[in-house]
Amino acid sequence: MPAGQVTVRLGDDRTMIRLSNRIFGADSLLKKMGAILRRESQKAFRLQRFGTIQWPERYPNQVGEKLNIAGALNDLAKGPSIKSRRYDARPAAQDTGTLRRSISVLTQSGRPGGTVFEVVVGSLLPYATKQHAGGQSRIPITDAMRANYRKLTKSLEGKIDRAKDPAKRSKMLDKRLALEKIAFLGNRRKSVCTVNVHPRPFVGVTDQGMNDIIQAVVADFSG
């Protein structure tokens, strides 16, 4: 899984061992570190960047009207309609918010009674690594997708023909242009759609996260 990891290493003399017990105790400083890292990870989805790394919009190489192809195919697998957000460039790496909510924290010791501790932040969702680091998704094309695409485009053409309001008609024409990006659904020989997933990192240690961790350590040992 993608993970932002902080390893705390302490010496082996008695003073350092007592210090390690404080760090890994019930009121764990590691838990505070983990909360900071988790907050930074979740914040990335709202800001559409992780630290100084700006996330690309959905399908950044598309020309013309935008369409979230993977999302549109997922909708068409269920019925003859596509959610309105599939036509938006942002927010990227978000749909239902499941990935953002799945980010969790694990604090662990390198060995029982030892002085090496870790904070691991990440997600166990099967697609988390691909969203974080990029890759490819292969989406099987089904007969249901093809049938629902035909129904959707036929319905849209009828609405365009009947539209009297110029602004509404213009929006529907834009939608028709966007739907051309999945016109391959009319090709029965095409059985799989391959989608490139651009990297959108959301776990790690940002400059802000490190500054907040340092402040948390100072505050903890000043109290």
Side-chain angles (χ1 to χ4, degrees):
M1 78 175 178
Q5 182 168 304
V6 174
T7 301
V8 180
R9 298 182 182 276
L10 304 172
D12 289 324
D13 59 61
R14 291 183 179 180
T15 301
M16 289 297 99
I17 290 176
R18 287 198 299 271
L19 181 59
S20 75
N21 290 335
R22 178 169 182 176
I23 291 177
F24 206 67
D27 187 21
S28 174
L29 180 57
L30 292 187
K31 291 180 181 178
K32 295 178 184 177
M33 293 179 181
I36 290 169
L37 295 175
R38 182 172 183 264
R39 182 198 66 207
E40 285 293 294
S41 291
Q42 292 186 324
K43 187 170 69 174
F45 291 83
R46 174 172 55 84
L47 299 180
Q48 295 287 282
R49 62 177 172 82
F50 185 63
T52 59
I53 303 174
Q54 185 73 33
W55 286 4
E57 64 181 28
R58 294 170 177 164
Y59 297 85
N61 297 327
Q62 279 187 354
V63 177
E65 298 303 314
K66 184 70 66 177
L67 181 67
N68 179 346
I69 293 174
L73 293 179
N74 182 63
D75 292 343
L76 290 173
K78 302 171 184 176
S81 64
I82 292 176
K83 296 181 177 66
S84 60
R85 63 177 178 268
R86 308 302 189 198
Y87 302 95
D88 298 332
R90 292 191 185 277
Q94 288 195 74
D95 188 13
T96 62
T98 300
L99 179 57
R100 175 181 56 80
R101 292 192 299 270
S102 74
I103 298 170
S104 58
V105 180
L106 173 66
T107 59
Q108 58 189 12
S109 171
R111 65 181 188 275
T115 55
V116 176
F117 305 101
E118 294 179 336
V119 179
V120 181
V121 179
S123 170
L124 293 175
L125 290 178
Y127 56 86
T129 296
K130 195 173 294 182
Q131 290 292 336
H132 173 78
Q136 284 190 333
S137 288
R138 291 172 56 83
I139 305 169
I141 297 174
T142 65
D143 289 340
M145 290 178 186
R146 299 182 198 279
N148 287 326
Y149 176 72
R150 289 194 297 270
K151 292 177 183 178
L152 174 62
T153 53
K154 183 178 180 179
S155 173
L156 180 60
E157 289 298 336
K159 291 178 181 178
I160 291 173
D161 290 340
R162 295 189 299 271
K164 296 181 180 180
D165 183 277
K168 290 183 178 179
R169 189 172 189 276
S170 177
K171 288 183 179 180
M172 287 188 284
L173 289 172
D174 288 344
K175 184 176 290 187
R176 182 172 67 181
L177 288 173
L179 289 174
E180 289 179 1
K181 292 180 170 60
I182 52 174
F184 56 77
L185 289 174
N187 179 3
R188 299 198 64 84
R189 289 182 296 180
K190 187 175 178 66
S191 60
V192 175
C193 173
T194 301
V195 174
N196 291 320
V197 181
H198 291 261
R200 296 180 179 92
F202 58 88
V203 288
V205 185
T206 64
D207 290 342
Q208 182 64 56
M210 182 55 70
N211 288 336
D212 290 347
I213 286 172
I214 292 171
Q215 290 180 23
V217 172
V218 171
D220 191 82
F221 286 96
S222 297

